[in-house]
Amino acid sequence: MKRISIDEYFLKIAAVVAERSTCRRRRVGAVAVLDKQILSTGYNGAAAKTKDCLELGCLREENSIPSGKMHEVCRAIHAEQNTIIQGCLHGVSLSGATIYCTHTPCILCAKMLVNAKIKRYVSYQNYSESEFEELFKEAEIDFEILKRPSSEISFLD
């Protein structure tokens, strides 16, 4: 049996976090990590204590809005945004952290991640836009797309 890499380990955790998503179009999960320790997690979904798309339906689908456009017409807060918010709520700085996320970021999340001073962003799936790449390059944030991790969990019996 081969041991999974640390990147695969945290990408798998991000995929599990995405299972909490209340988005009907795309489930996204993110994990902020520093020195192999999880700092915070987030998934895409409606603001706390408000009704979500699973209950009310998707505004973007109802209005035929393509992925990556008009982010403001959505009930959801993105996974990366929720990761930053959770860090703030619990007094945890993400400065120098790596973000492991199931998808690459939209430009709005990328700007927030730059200001949160993350150092690295790792994903296994592209979102519908790529504007973040130039911003990450300018802000010196390392960016990698890795192979999607196996959904299989191996146990030793």
Short mmCIF file of all heavy atoms in Angstrom, two decimals, residues 60-129:
data_model
loop_
_atom_site.label_atom_id
_atom_site.label_comp_id
_atom_site.label_asym_id
_atom_site.label_seq_id
_atom_site.Cartn_x
_atom_site.Cartn_y
_atom_site.Cartn_z
N ARG A 60 -29.33 31.64 -10.24
CA ARG A 60 -28.54 31.68 -11.47
C ARG A 60 -29.17 30.81 -12.56
O ARG A 60 -29.22 31.20 -13.72
CB ARG A 60 -27.10 31.26 -11.18
CG ARG A 60 -26.43 32.25 -10.20
CD ARG A 60 -25.05 31.83 -9.79
NE ARG A 60 -24.12 31.80 -10.91
CZ ARG A 60 -23.57 32.87 -11.47
NH1 ARG A 60 -23.86 34.07 -11.01
NH2 ARG A 60 -22.73 32.75 -12.47
N GLU A 61 -29.68 29.64 -12.16
CA GLU A 61 -30.37 28.79 -13.13
C GLU A 61 -31.66 29.45 -13.61
O GLU A 61 -31.97 29.45 -14.80
CB GLU A 61 -30.68 27.42 -12.52
CG GLU A 61 -29.49 26.52 -12.42
CD GLU A 61 -29.81 25.18 -11.76
OE1 GLU A 61 -30.95 24.99 -11.28
OE2 GLU A 61 -28.90 24.34 -11.71
N GLU A 62 -32.40 30.02 -12.68
CA GLU A 62 -33.66 30.69 -13.02
C GLU A 62 -33.46 31.83 -14.00
O GLU A 62 -34.35 32.14 -14.80
CB GLU A 62 -34.34 31.21 -11.75
CG GLU A 62 -34.84 30.11 -10.83
CD GLU A 62 -35.21 30.62 -9.44
OE1 GLU A 62 -35.29 31.86 -9.23
OE2 GLU A 62 -35.42 29.76 -8.56
N ASN A 63 -32.30 32.49 -13.93
CA ASN A 63 -32.01 33.63 -14.79
C ASN A 63 -31.04 33.30 -15.92
O ASN A 63 -30.53 34.21 -16.58
CB ASN A 63 -31.46 34.79 -13.94
CG ASN A 63 -32.52 35.36 -13.03
OD1 ASN A 63 -33.45 36.00 -13.50
ND2 ASN A 63 -32.40 35.10 -11.74
N SER A 64 -30.76 32.02 -16.14
CA SER A 64 -29.87 31.55 -17.21
C SER A 64 -28.52 32.26 -17.22
O SER A 64 -28.01 32.65 -18.27
CB SER A 64 -30.55 31.70 -18.58
OG SER A 64 -31.76 30.98 -18.61
N ILE A 65 -27.93 32.40 -16.04
CA ILE A 65 -26.63 33.07 -15.92
C ILE A 65 -25.54 32.01 -16.03
O ILE A 65 -25.51 31.05 -15.26
CB ILE A 65 -26.52 33.82 -14.58
CG1 ILE A 65 -27.61 34.90 -14.52
CG2 ILE A 65 -25.13 34.41 -14.40
CD1 ILE A 65 -27.75 35.56 -13.18
N PRO A 66 -24.62 32.19 -16.98
CA PRO A 66 -23.55 31.20 -17.15
C PRO A 66 -22.55 31.24 -16.00
O PRO A 66 -22.39 32.27 -15.33
CB PRO A 66 -22.89 31.60 -18.47
CG PRO A 66 -23.25 33.02 -18.68
CD PRO A 66 -24.55 33.27 -17.97
N SER A 67 -21.89 30.14 -15.79
CA SER A 67 -20.88 30.03 -14.75
C SER A 67 -19.79 31.07 -14.97
O SER A 67 -19.39 31.35 -16.10
CB SER A 67 -20.27 28.62 -14.80
OG SER A 67 -19.36 28.46 -13.75
N GLY A 68 -19.34 31.69 -13.88
CA GLY A 68 -18.28 32.67 -13.96
C GLY A 68 -18.73 34.09 -14.26
O GLY A 68 -17.91 35.01 -14.30
N LYS A 69 -20.01 34.31 -14.44
CA LYS A 69 -20.54 35.65 -14.76
C LYS A 69 -21.49 36.10 -13.65
O LYS A 69 -22.15 35.28 -13.01
CB LYS A 69 -21.31 35.63 -16.09
CG LYS A 69 -20.52 35.09 -17.26
CD LYS A 69 -19.38 35.99 -17.61
CE LYS A 69 -18.61 35.43 -18.79
NZ LYS A 69 -17.27 35.90 -18.87
N MET A 70 -21.56 37.39 -13.44
CA MET A 70 -22.52 38.01 -12.51
C MET A 70 -22.58 37.27 -11.16
O MET A 70 -23.63 36.82 -10.73
CB MET A 70 -23.91 38.09 -13.15
CG MET A 70 -23.95 38.96 -14.39
SD MET A 70 -25.55 38.95 -15.25
CE MET A 70 -26.63 39.56 -13.98
N HIS A 71 -21.45 37.22 -10.48
CA HIS A 71 -21.36 36.52 -9.20
C HIS A 71 -22.33 37.07 -8.16
O HIS A 71 -22.73 36.35 -7.24
CB HIS A 71 -19.94 36.61 -8.64
CG HIS A 71 -18.93 35.91 -9.47
ND1 HIS A 71 -18.82 34.54 -9.50
CD2 HIS A 71 -17.99 36.39 -10.32
CE1 HIS A 71 -17.84 34.21 -10.33
NE2 HIS A 71 -17.32 35.30 -10.84
N GLU A 72 -22.71 38.33 -8.31
CA GLU A 72 -23.60 38.95 -7.33
C GLU A 72 -25.02 38.37 -7.36
O GLU A 72 -25.77 38.50 -6.39
CB GLU A 72 -23.64 40.48 -7.52
CG GLU A 72 -24.32 40.97 -8.79
CD GLU A 72 -23.46 40.91 -10.07
OE1 GLU A 72 -22.31 40.40 -10.01
OE2 GLU A 72 -23.94 41.35 -11.12
N VAL A 73 -25.38 37.71 -8.46
CA VAL A 73 -26.70 37.08 -8.54
C VAL A 73 -26.55 35.63 -8.09
O VAL A 73 -26.50 34.70 -8.88
CB VAL A 73 -27.29 37.16 -9.97
CG1 VAL A 73 -28.68 36.52 -10.00
CG2 VAL A 73 -27.34 38.60 -10.46
N CYS A 74 -26.44 35.47 -6.79
CA CYS A 74 -26.24 34.15 -6.21
C CYS A 74 -26.44 34.26 -4.70
O CYS A 74 -26.01 35.23 -4.09
CB CYS A 74 -24.82 33.66 -6.51
SG CYS A 74 -24.47 31.99 -5.92
N ARG A 75 -27.08 33.27 -4.12
CA ARG A 75 -27.25 33.24 -2.67
C ARG A 75 -25.97 32.80 -1.95
O ARG A 75 -25.77 33.06 -0.78
CB ARG A 75 -28.36 32.26 -2.29
CG ARG A 75 -29.73 32.72 -2.65
CD ARG A 75 -30.80 31.74 -2.15
NE ARG A 75 -32.09 32.21 -2.56
CZ ARG A 75 -32.68 31.91 -3.72
NH1 ARG A 75 -32.09 31.10 -4.57
NH2 ARG A 75 -33.86 32.40 -4.03
N ALA A 76 -25.10 32.11 -2.67
CA ALA A 76 -23.95 31.46 -2.04
C ALA A 76 -22.78 32.40 -1.80
O ALA A 76 -22.52 33.32 -2.58
CB ALA A 76 -23.48 30.29 -2.89
N ILE A 77 -22.10 32.12 -0.72
CA ILE A 77 -20.78 32.68 -0.45
C ILE A 77 -19.81 31.58 -0.89
O ILE A 77 -20.02 30.41 -0.58
CB ILE A 77 -20.64 32.98 1.05
CG1 ILE A 77 -21.67 34.02 1.47
CG2 ILE A 77 -19.22 33.43 1.39
CD1 ILE A 77 -21.86 34.14 2.95
N HIS A 78 -18.78 31.95 -1.62
CA HIS A 78 -17.87 30.95 -2.16
C HIS A 78 -17.06 30.27 -1.05
O HIS A 78 -16.86 30.81 0.03
CB HIS A 78 -16.93 31.58 -3.18
CG HIS A 78 -17.62 31.95 -4.45
ND1 HIS A 78 -16.94 32.41 -5.56
CD2 HIS A 78 -18.92 31.90 -4.81
CE1 HIS A 78 -17.80 32.63 -6.54
NE2 HIS A 78 -19.01 32.34 -6.11
N ALA A 79 -16.58 29.08 -1.36
CA ALA A 79 -15.83 28.27 -0.39
C ALA A 79 -14.60 29.00 0.13
O ALA A 79 -14.33 29.00 1.33
CB ALA A 79 -15.42 26.94 -1.04
N GLU A 80 -13.87 29.65 -0.76
CA GLU A 80 -12.68 30.38 -0.33
C GLU A 80 -13.05 31.54 0.59
O GLU A 80 -12.37 31.81 1.58
CB GLU A 80 -11.90 30.93 -1.55
CG GLU A 80 -11.42 29.87 -2.50
CD GLU A 80 -12.38 29.64 -3.68
OE1 GLU A 80 -13.61 29.81 -3.51
OE2 GLU A 80 -11.88 29.28 -4.76
N GLN A 81 -14.14 32.23 0.26
CA GLN A 81 -14.60 33.33 1.10
C GLN A 81 -14.98 32.81 2.49
O GLN A 81 -14.61 33.41 3.50
CB GLN A 81 -15.80 34.03 0.45
CG GLN A 81 -15.45 34.73 -0.84
CD GLN A 81 -16.68 35.15 -1.64
OE1 GLN A 81 -17.82 34.88 -1.27
NE2 GLN A 81 -16.44 35.82 -2.75
N ASN A 82 -15.69 31.69 2.53
CA ASN A 82 -16.08 31.12 3.82
C ASN A 82 -14.86 30.64 4.61
O ASN A 82 -14.84 30.71 5.84
CB ASN A 82 -17.09 29.99 3.64
CG ASN A 82 -18.50 30.52 3.64
OD1 ASN A 82 -18.83 31.45 4.36
ND2 ASN A 82 -19.36 29.90 2.83
N THR A 83 -13.83 30.18 3.92
CA THR A 83 -12.60 29.77 4.60
C THR A 83 -11.95 30.98 5.27
O THR A 83 -11.52 30.90 6.42
CB THR A 83 -11.63 29.11 3.60
OG1 THR A 83 -12.28 27.98 3.02
CG2 THR A 83 -10.35 28.65 4.28
N ILE A 84 -11.88 32.09 4.56
CA ILE A 84 -11.33 33.32 5.12
C ILE A 84 -12.19 33.79 6.30
O ILE A 84 -11.68 34.13 7.37
CB ILE A 84 -11.22 34.42 4.05
CG1 ILE A 84 -10.18 34.02 2.99
CG2 ILE A 84 -10.88 35.77 4.68
CD1 ILE A 84 -10.20 34.89 1.73
N ILE A 85 -13.50 33.79 6.12
CA ILE A 85 -14.42 34.24 7.17
C ILE A 85 -14.29 33.38 8.42
O ILE A 85 -14.24 33.90 9.54
CB ILE A 85 -15.88 34.25 6.65
CG1 ILE A 85 -16.05 35.34 5.58
CG2 ILE A 85 -16.88 34.41 7.79
CD1 ILE A 85 -17.32 35.21 4.76
N GLN A 86 -14.23 32.07 8.25
CA GLN A 86 -14.09 31.18 9.40
C GLN A 86 -12.79 31.45 10.15
O GLN A 86 -12.76 31.43 11.38
CB GLN A 86 -14.18 29.71 8.98
CG GLN A 86 -15.58 29.27 8.60
CD GLN A 86 -16.58 29.50 9.71
OE1 GLN A 86 -16.38 29.08 10.85
NE2 GLN A 86 -17.67 30.16 9.39
N GLY A 87 -11.72 31.71 9.41
CA GLY A 87 -10.47 32.07 10.06
C GLY A 87 -10.64 33.33 10.89
O GLY A 87 -10.22 33.40 12.05
N CYS A 88 -11.27 34.35 10.29
CA CYS A 88 -11.49 35.61 11.00
C CYS A 88 -12.35 35.42 12.24
O CYS A 88 -12.05 35.95 13.32
CB CYS A 88 -12.17 36.63 10.08
SG CYS A 88 -11.12 37.24 8.77
N LEU A 89 -13.42 34.66 12.13
CA LEU A 89 -14.33 34.44 13.26
C LEU A 89 -13.63 33.78 14.44
O LEU A 89 -14.00 33.99 15.59
CB LEU A 89 -15.51 33.57 12.83
CG LEU A 89 -16.58 34.25 11.98
CD1 LEU A 89 -17.59 33.22 11.48
CD2 LEU A 89 -17.28 35.36 12.75
N HIS A 90 -12.62 32.99 14.14
CA HIS A 90 -11.92 32.24 15.19
C HIS A 90 -10.53 32.81 15.49
O HIS A 90 -9.73 32.17 16.17
CB HIS A 90 -11.86 30.76 14.82
CG HIS A 90 -13.22 30.16 14.70
ND1 HIS A 90 -14.02 29.87 15.78
CD2 HIS A 90 -13.96 29.85 13.60
CE1 HIS A 90 -15.17 29.39 15.37
NE2 HIS A 90 -15.17 29.37 14.04
N GLY A 91 -10.25 34.00 14.97
CA GLY A 91 -8.99 34.67 15.27
C GLY A 91 -7.77 33.99 14.68
O GLY A 91 -6.69 34.05 15.26
N VAL A 92 -7.94 33.36 13.52
CA VAL A 92 -6.84 32.62 12.89
C VAL A 92 -6.42 33.33 11.60
O VAL A 92 -7.21 33.50 10.68
CB VAL A 92 -7.28 31.17 12.56
CG1 VAL A 92 -6.18 30.43 11.83
CG2 VAL A 92 -7.70 30.44 13.82
N SER A 93 -5.17 33.74 11.55
CA SER A 93 -4.63 34.36 10.35
C SER A 93 -4.32 33.29 9.31
O SER A 93 -3.83 32.22 9.64
CB SER A 93 -3.34 35.11 10.69
OG SER A 93 -2.70 35.54 9.51
N LEU A 94 -4.60 33.61 8.06
CA LEU A 94 -4.27 32.69 6.96
C LEU A 94 -2.98 33.10 6.26
O LEU A 94 -2.60 32.50 5.25
CB LEU A 94 -5.42 32.62 5.95
CG LEU A 94 -6.78 32.20 6.49
CD1 LEU A 94 -7.77 32.03 5.34
CD2 LEU A 94 -6.70 30.96 7.33
N SER A 95 -2.30 34.09 6.78
CA SER A 95 -1.06 34.57 6.19
C SER A 95 -0.04 33.43 6.08
O SER A 95 0.25 32.75 7.06
CB SER A 95 -0.49 35.70 7.04
OG SER A 95 0.69 36.20 6.47
N GLY A 96 0.46 33.22 4.88
CA GLY A 96 1.44 32.18 4.63
C GLY A 96 0.86 30.80 4.39
O GLY A 96 1.59 29.84 4.15
N ALA A 97 -0.46 30.68 4.44
CA ALA A 97 -1.12 29.38 4.32
C ALA A 97 -1.22 28.92 2.87
O ALA A 97 -1.09 29.70 1.92
CB ALA A 97 -2.53 29.43 4.92
N THR A 98 -1.48 27.64 2.73
CA THR A 98 -1.85 27.04 1.45
C THR A 98 -3.35 26.81 1.48
O THR A 98 -3.89 26.34 2.48
CB THR A 98 -1.14 25.69 1.25
OG1 THR A 98 0.27 25.92 1.15
CG2 THR A 98 -1.61 24.98 -0.02
N ILE A 99 -4.02 27.15 0.39
CA ILE A 99 -5.44 26.85 0.24
C ILE A 99 -5.55 25.65 -0.70
O ILE A 99 -5.03 25.67 -1.81
CB ILE A 99 -6.23 28.03 -0.37
CG1 ILE A 99 -6.13 29.27 0.51
CG2 ILE A 99 -7.68 27.64 -0.63
CD1 ILE A 99 -6.82 29.18 1.84
N TYR A 100 -6.19 24.61 -0.21
CA TYR A 100 -6.53 23.45 -1.03
C TYR A 100 -7.99 23.59 -1.35
O TYR A 100 -8.83 23.72 -0.45
CB TYR A 100 -6.28 22.15 -0.25
CG TYR A 100 -4.82 21.87 -0.01
CD1 TYR A 100 -4.19 22.32 1.14
CD2 TYR A 100 -4.07 21.17 -0.95
CE1 TYR A 100 -2.84 22.07 1.36
CE2 TYR A 100 -2.72 20.92 -0.74
CZ TYR A 100 -2.11 21.37 0.41
OH TYR A 100 -0.78 21.13 0.62
N CYS A 101 -8.32 23.59 -2.63
CA CYS A 101 -9.71 23.80 -3.03
C CYS A 101 -10.06 22.87 -4.18
O CYS A 101 -9.22 22.57 -5.04
CB CYS A 101 -9.91 25.27 -3.43
SG CYS A 101 -11.63 25.74 -3.62
N THR A 102 -11.30 22.45 -4.22
CA THR A 102 -11.74 21.54 -5.26
C THR A 102 -11.74 22.18 -6.64
O THR A 102 -11.65 21.48 -7.64
CB THR A 102 -13.15 21.01 -4.95
OG1 THR A 102 -14.05 22.13 -4.80
CG2 THR A 102 -13.16 20.16 -3.69
N HIS A 103 -11.83 23.51 -6.70
CA HIS A 103 -11.87 24.24 -7.96
C HIS A 103 -10.92 25.44 -7.88
O HIS A 103 -10.63 25.93 -6.80
CB HIS A 103 -13.28 24.77 -8.25
CG HIS A 103 -14.29 23.70 -8.47
ND1 HIS A 103 -14.76 22.90 -7.45
CD2 HIS A 103 -14.90 23.28 -9.59
CE1 HIS A 103 -15.64 22.05 -7.94
NE2 HIS A 103 -15.73 22.25 -9.24
N THR A 104 -10.49 25.92 -9.03
CA THR A 104 -9.70 27.14 -9.06
C THR A 104 -10.62 28.32 -8.71
O THR A 104 -11.84 28.23 -8.86
CB THR A 104 -9.05 27.34 -10.45
OG1 THR A 104 -10.08 27.34 -11.45
CG2 THR A 104 -8.04 26.26 -10.73
N PRO A 105 -10.05 29.45 -8.27
CA PRO A 105 -10.90 30.54 -7.78
C PRO A 105 -11.44 31.45 -8.87
O PRO A 105 -10.84 31.59 -9.94
CB PRO A 105 -9.94 31.32 -6.88
CG PRO A 105 -8.62 31.14 -7.53
CD PRO A 105 -8.63 29.72 -8.05
N CYS A 106 -12.56 32.10 -8.54
CA CYS A 106 -13.03 33.21 -9.37
C CYS A 106 -12.13 34.40 -9.04
O CYS A 106 -11.38 34.38 -8.07
CB CYS A 106 -14.50 33.52 -9.08
SG CYS A 106 -14.79 34.31 -7.48
N ILE A 107 -12.22 35.45 -9.82
CA ILE A 107 -11.35 36.61 -9.61
C ILE A 107 -11.65 37.30 -8.28
O ILE A 107 -10.74 37.80 -7.61
CB ILE A 107 -11.42 37.60 -10.79
CG1 ILE A 107 -10.32 38.67 -10.69
CG2 ILE A 107 -12.80 38.22 -10.92
CD1 ILE A 107 -8.91 38.15 -10.76
N LEU A 108 -12.91 37.31 -7.84
CA LEU A 108 -13.25 37.94 -6.56
C LEU A 108 -12.59 37.20 -5.40
O LEU A 108 -12.01 37.83 -4.51
CB LEU A 108 -14.77 37.97 -6.36
CG LEU A 108 -15.57 38.77 -7.38
CD1 LEU A 108 -17.07 38.59 -7.14
CD2 LEU A 108 -15.19 40.24 -7.32
N CYS A 109 -12.66 35.89 -5.41
CA CYS A 109 -12.00 35.10 -4.36
C CYS A 109 -10.49 35.26 -4.43
O CYS A 109 -9.82 35.36 -3.39
CB CYS A 109 -12.39 33.63 -4.47
SG CYS A 109 -14.10 33.31 -3.96
N ALA A 110 -9.96 35.31 -5.64
CA ALA A 110 -8.51 35.46 -5.80
C ALA A 110 -8.03 36.76 -5.16
O ALA A 110 -7.00 36.78 -4.48
CB ALA A 110 -8.14 35.41 -7.28
N LYS A 111 -8.77 37.84 -5.35
CA LYS A 111 -8.40 39.12 -4.75
C LYS A 111 -8.40 39.02 -3.22
O LYS A 111 -7.50 39.54 -2.55
CB LYS A 111 -9.36 40.22 -5.20
CG LYS A 111 -9.21 40.61 -6.65
CD LYS A 111 -10.28 41.62 -7.02
CE LYS A 111 -10.28 41.94 -8.50
NZ LYS A 111 -11.35 42.91 -8.84
N MET A 112 -9.41 38.36 -2.68
CA MET A 112 -9.49 38.19 -1.23
C MET A 112 -8.33 37.34 -0.71
O MET A 112 -7.75 37.63 0.34
CB MET A 112 -10.82 37.56 -0.84
CG MET A 112 -11.99 38.46 -1.05
SD MET A 112 -13.52 37.61 -0.61
CE MET A 112 -14.70 38.70 -1.38
N LEU A 113 -7.99 36.30 -1.45
CA LEU A 113 -6.89 35.43 -1.05
C LEU A 113 -5.55 36.15 -1.09
O LEU A 113 -4.69 35.94 -0.23
CB LEU A 113 -6.86 34.17 -1.92
CG LEU A 113 -8.06 33.24 -1.72
CD1 LEU A 113 -8.15 32.23 -2.86
CD2 LEU A 113 -8.01 32.55 -0.38
N VAL A 114 -5.38 37.03 -2.07
CA VAL A 114 -4.16 37.84 -2.13
C VAL A 114 -4.08 38.70 -0.86
O VAL A 114 -3.03 38.75 -0.21
CB VAL A 114 -4.13 38.72 -3.40
CG1 VAL A 114 -3.05 39.79 -3.30
CG2 VAL A 114 -3.93 37.86 -4.65
N ASN A 115 -5.17 39.35 -0.50
CA ASN A 115 -5.15 40.22 0.68
C ASN A 115 -5.08 39.44 1.99
O ASN A 115 -4.63 39.97 3.00
CB ASN A 115 -6.34 41.17 0.69
CG ASN A 115 -6.06 42.41 -0.13
OD1 ASN A 115 -5.03 42.52 -0.78
ND2 ASN A 115 -6.97 43.35 -0.11
N ALA A 116 -5.50 38.17 1.98
CA ALA A 116 -5.35 37.31 3.16
C ALA A 116 -3.91 36.80 3.27
O ALA A 116 -3.56 36.14 4.23
CB ALA A 116 -6.33 36.14 3.09
N LYS A 117 -3.11 37.10 2.25
CA LYS A 117 -1.68 36.77 2.20
C LYS A 117 -1.39 35.28 2.16
O LYS A 117 -0.43 34.80 2.74
CB LYS A 117 -0.94 37.44 3.35
CG LYS A 117 -1.03 38.94 3.27
CD LYS A 117 -0.23 39.62 4.32
CE LYS A 117 -0.40 41.12 4.11
NZ LYS A 117 0.25 41.90 5.11
N ILE A 118 -2.25 34.54 1.42
CA ILE A 118 -1.93 33.13 1.25
C ILE A 118 -0.68 33.01 0.39
O ILE A 118 -0.34 33.91 -0.38
CB ILE A 118 -3.10 32.31 0.64
CG1 ILE A 118 -3.37 32.71 -0.80
CG2 ILE A 118 -4.34 32.41 1.50
CD1 ILE A 118 -3.92 31.58 -1.60
N LYS A 119 -0.01 31.89 0.54
CA LYS A 119 1.26 31.68 -0.17
C LYS A 119 1.11 30.74 -1.36
O LYS A 119 1.83 30.84 -2.34
CB LYS A 119 2.27 31.11 0.82
CG LYS A 119 3.65 30.94 0.26
CD LYS A 119 4.61 30.49 1.32
CE LYS A 119 5.99 30.43 0.72
NZ LYS A 119 7.02 30.44 1.73
N ARG A 120 0.14 29.82 -1.27
CA ARG A 120 0.02 28.76 -2.28
C ARG A 120 -1.45 28.39 -2.44
O ARG A 120 -2.21 28.40 -1.46
CB ARG A 120 0.82 27.56 -1.82
CG ARG A 120 0.90 26.42 -2.79
CD ARG A 120 1.91 25.39 -2.28
NE ARG A 120 1.91 24.21 -3.10
CZ ARG A 120 1.66 22.98 -2.68
NH1 ARG A 120 1.43 22.75 -1.40
NH2 ARG A 120 1.67 21.96 -3.51
N TYR A 121 -1.83 28.03 -3.66
CA TYR A 121 -3.20 27.59 -3.95
C TYR A 121 -3.11 26.31 -4.75
O TYR A 121 -2.44 26.27 -5.79
CB TYR A 121 -3.94 28.66 -4.75
CG TYR A 121 -5.42 28.44 -4.86
CD1 TYR A 121 -6.30 29.12 -4.04
CD2 TYR A 121 -5.95 27.56 -5.80
CE1 TYR A 121 -7.68 28.93 -4.14
CE2 TYR A 121 -7.31 27.36 -5.91
CZ TYR A 121 -8.18 28.06 -5.08
OH TYR A 121 -9.54 27.87 -5.18
N VAL A 122 -3.76 25.25 -4.27
CA VAL A 122 -3.71 23.95 -4.92
C VAL A 122 -5.14 23.49 -5.21
O VAL A 122 -6.00 23.54 -4.34
CB VAL A 122 -2.99 22.90 -4.03
CG1 VAL A 122 -2.94 21.55 -4.73
CG2 VAL A 122 -1.60 23.37 -3.64
N SER A 123 -5.36 23.03 -6.42
CA SER A 123 -6.69 22.56 -6.82
C SER A 123 -6.54 21.36 -7.75
O SER A 123 -5.45 21.03 -8.19
CB SER A 123 -7.44 23.67 -7.54
OG SER A 123 -8.75 23.28 -7.85
N TYR A 124 -7.69 20.73 -8.03
CA TYR A 124 -7.66 19.65 -9.01
C TYR A 124 -8.69 19.84 -10.13
O TYR A 124 -8.83 19.00 -10.99
CB TYR A 124 -7.85 18.28 -8.35
CG TYR A 124 -9.15 18.08 -7.59
CD1 TYR A 124 -10.34 17.79 -8.24
CD2 TYR A 124 -9.17 18.15 -6.21
CE1 TYR A 124 -11.52 17.59 -7.54
CE2 TYR A 124 -10.33 17.94 -5.50
CZ TYR A 124 -11.50 17.67 -6.17
OH TYR A 124 -12.67 17.46 -5.46
N GLN A 125 -9.39 20.98 -10.11
CA GLN A 125 -10.42 21.18 -11.13
C GLN A 125 -10.51 22.66 -11.47
O GLN A 125 -10.52 23.52 -10.58
CB GLN A 125 -11.77 20.70 -10.60
CG GLN A 125 -12.85 20.62 -11.63
CD GLN A 125 -14.03 19.80 -11.11
OE1 GLN A 125 -13.88 18.97 -10.24
NE2 GLN A 125 -15.18 20.03 -11.67
N ASN A 126 -10.61 22.98 -12.76
CA ASN A 126 -10.73 24.36 -13.20
C ASN A 126 -12.15 24.87 -13.06
O ASN A 126 -13.10 24.17 -13.36
CB ASN A 126 -10.30 24.50 -14.66
CG ASN A 126 -8.80 24.47 -14.81
OD1 ASN A 126 -8.09 25.20 -14.14
ND2 ASN A 126 -8.32 23.62 -15.70
N TYR A 127 -12.27 26.11 -12.59
CA TYR A 127 -13.52 26.84 -12.59
C TYR A 127 -13.66 27.42 -13.99
O TYR A 127 -12.79 27.24 -14.84
CB TYR A 127 -13.46 27.92 -11.50
CG TYR A 127 -14.73 28.72 -11.31
CD1 TYR A 127 -15.95 28.10 -11.10
CD2 TYR A 127 -14.68 30.11 -11.33
CE1 TYR A 127 -17.11 28.84 -10.91
CE2 TYR A 127 -15.83 30.86 -11.13
CZ TYR A 127 -17.03 30.22 -10.94
OH TYR A 127 -18.17 30.96 -10.76
N SER A 128 -14.69 28.15 -14.26
CA SER A 128 -14.95 28.60 -15.63
C SER A 128 -14.17 29.85 -16.04
O SER A 128 -14.35 30.33 -17.14
CB SER A 128 -16.44 28.85 -15.80
OG SER A 128 -16.88 29.74 -14.81
N GLU A 129 -13.35 30.39 -15.18
CA GLU A 129 -12.57 31.57 -15.55
C GLU A 129 -11.11 31.40 -15.13
O GLU A 129 -10.81 30.61 -14.24
CB GLU A 129 -13.16 32.84 -14.95
CG GLU A 129 -13.38 32.79 -13.46
CD GLU A 129 -14.10 34.02 -12.91
OE1 GLU A 129 -15.32 34.10 -13.03
OE2 GLU A 129 -13.39 34.88 -12.37
#
